[in-house]
Every structure is written in C-alpha cells, then in structure tokens.
Amino acid sequence: MGSWLGDTVSEIDVTRVGTPVDGVTRAVVVSRRGDGQLTLQTVDHAPGNVATRRDTEVVAAGTGAAVQTLRWASTGAPSGRVVLGFRNAAGQLELQTWEVASDGALTQLGTLARAAVISGQSAKRVAIDQVGDRTPFFNSGFVTVHVTPESEAEHRSWEVAANGAITELATVAGTSATSVDAMGRITTQRRETGGMTVKRWSVAGNGTLTLLDGETYPNVNQAMTAGDRLIAYRNGTDELKVLTFSVVP
C-alpha cells in the first residue's frame, strides 16, 4: 500500500479519475485544512504500491466538499475532468469544474454559486451524482443534492459545456433532511426524526428530474451509497446494515 503524509484535515472526499497510463490509477482528492481552506490534489497509484502526489491547488474557504468525476482518463485520452461542490464562505452551494491534464496538473474551468446550504460540518450536506451510463444525461452534466438552511434536501441538475461552463437546468424542492448522499440516480436523506429515505430518480436528456420511487427506513444515524446497487448505514444501535437493490434502467 502506497502512502504519504499530508496536511492536517477535517474533511475529505475522493473520486477515481481513470487510468491515464497503463498500470497507473489516478484519483482526485479534496480536503479541508485546519485554516478552513479547501485543497484539491491529484494522486497516482502505480505498480509496486507507489503513491505519488502530482498537483495541489488551494480552492477557497469552504465546508462540506464533495468531488465527482465527469470525464474518465484513459491511455488514449489521458486528460480527465471533475466537478467540485462545497458550501462557500457566503453560505452558497459553489460548483467548480476542473481539468486534470495527462501529467496530473489541475486547471479550474467553470464556476457557479447557487442556493443556500445549511451550516455545520458534522454530517454530509452536499453530494454530487455523475448519474451513470444508463441515462441520456450521461456525460452531459451531473446532479447535486444539498441540505438547505430549512433542513430540506434539494435536488438540482446541471449541464457542463465543452469549456467547463456550468448551467443550472432543473430543481426539485426537497423534504426533511439533516444529511444526504447520492450515486447512480439513488439519493439518501437522513431526516430530523432519525429515519432515512432512499429515493430513485430518472434524469432526462434535458436534465429534468423525475422521482420514480422511494423507501423509508427507521433509526438511521449515517448512510452512504455505492453505485446504484448498495447502501450502507449505521442504525440506532450502532450496527452496520447493508441494503442491496435491483434497479431497472
């Protein structure tokens, strides 16, 4: 296992960007330093368990950061692209697109700030869904879900232009939530009453969001999604529970 010692951080999220060189796996990591600044880093994992940090960029002051891949890197197309979302110093949901060059260098492209996000760092308040390849919206943009100051989960879809510019497309008003997560058109919301609501969405080519169905589970303390097939959560007695799904495209 490769590793290195980095900054002291209070938050972290990571996304795999692809394989720009045969045998090398690249990831982008966002973390929040002790001074409140968010940093974005490119990390390569090579054969022999060698971890190499390729680039580090200081983004801005913020909390609740999430990062997701928009375009995969491969040996034939070694540059990738990611989207970063976080609660900025003004209390808004800020979104940024970043290009990841073949050598791992990071370049900011588009940026947009919309919608108020609740304060606090104890739970996940912003989540990004790259949507997945079983939808006409794939490679066109992404979906976010965030907790508003009114403690509601709000879903929004966004389009990304070739130059990285971000345009808001659709918004779906939310229901009670204290934390959220999203992956593969599945979103989870932990409610103030302690339960968890799991929702499945469709995303049209124009970004329109349609709620397909949902389930509610009681006594949930924390939940995470993994793809569109699995959700892991900690219940009221601190036991690990895993839910698996069979999702129809």
Side-chain angles (χ1 to χ4, degrees), residues 169-221:
L169 297 179
T171 301
V172 177
T175 54
S176 172
T178 58
S179 64
V180 292
D181 202 7
M183 185 67 71
R185 296 171 296 128
I186 297 288
T187 61
T188 60
Q189 302 171 206
R190 184 182 183 273
R191 306 190 313 274
E192 289 183 301
T193 55
M196 174 183 69
T197 300
V198 179
K199 295 183 177 181
R200 185 169 65 95
W201 301 82
S202 70
V203 188
N206 63 359
T208 299
L209 293 161
T210 302
L211 179 62
L212 299 179
D213 53 39
E215 296 285 344
T216 299
Y217 301 86
N219 302 321
V220 174
N221 290 324

Side-chain angles (χ1 to χ4, degrees), residues 101-184:
S102 58
D103 62 357
L106 292 160
T107 302
Q108 185 180 340
L109 301 175
T111 183
L112 188 68
R114 288 278 197 280
V117 179
I118 196 169
S119 62
Q121 302 175 44
S122 59
K124 190 166 186 177
R125 309 302 173 96
V126 176
I128 302 172
D129 183 7
Q130 194 260 356
V131 177
D133 58 5
R134 290 188 303 277
T135 162
F137 197 58
F138 182 63
N139 280 340
S140 298
F142 58 95
V143 172
T144 61
V145 54
H146 70 274
V147 183
T148 70
E150 294 76 31
S151 295
E152 294 182 340
E154 187 171 87
H155 298 70
R156 296 185 180 222
S157 61
W158 312 81
E159 183 179 42
V160 180
N163 65 357
I166 305 168
T167 302
E168 183 180 353
L169 297 179
T171 301
V172 177
T175 54
S176 172
T178 58
S179 64
V180 292
D181 202 7
M183 185 67 71

Side-chain angles (χ1 to χ4, degrees), residues 2 5 7 21 35 49 119 145 193 195 237:
L5 184 64
D7 298 322
V21 180
D35 62 1
N49 285 326
S119 62
V145 54
T193 55
T237 56

Side-chain angles (χ1 to χ4, degrees), residues 37-49:
Q37 294 290 315
L38 298 175
T39 62
L40 207 60
Q41 301 182 73
T42 315
V43 181
D44 283 354
H45 179 267
N49 285 326

Side-chain angles (χ1 to χ4, degrees), residues 16-34:
R16 182 169 174 260
V17 184
T19 307
V21 180
D22 284 341
V24 175
T25 298
R26 176 163 292 164
V28 171
V29 181
V30 60
S31 58
R32 184 176 186 269
R33 302 187 315 202

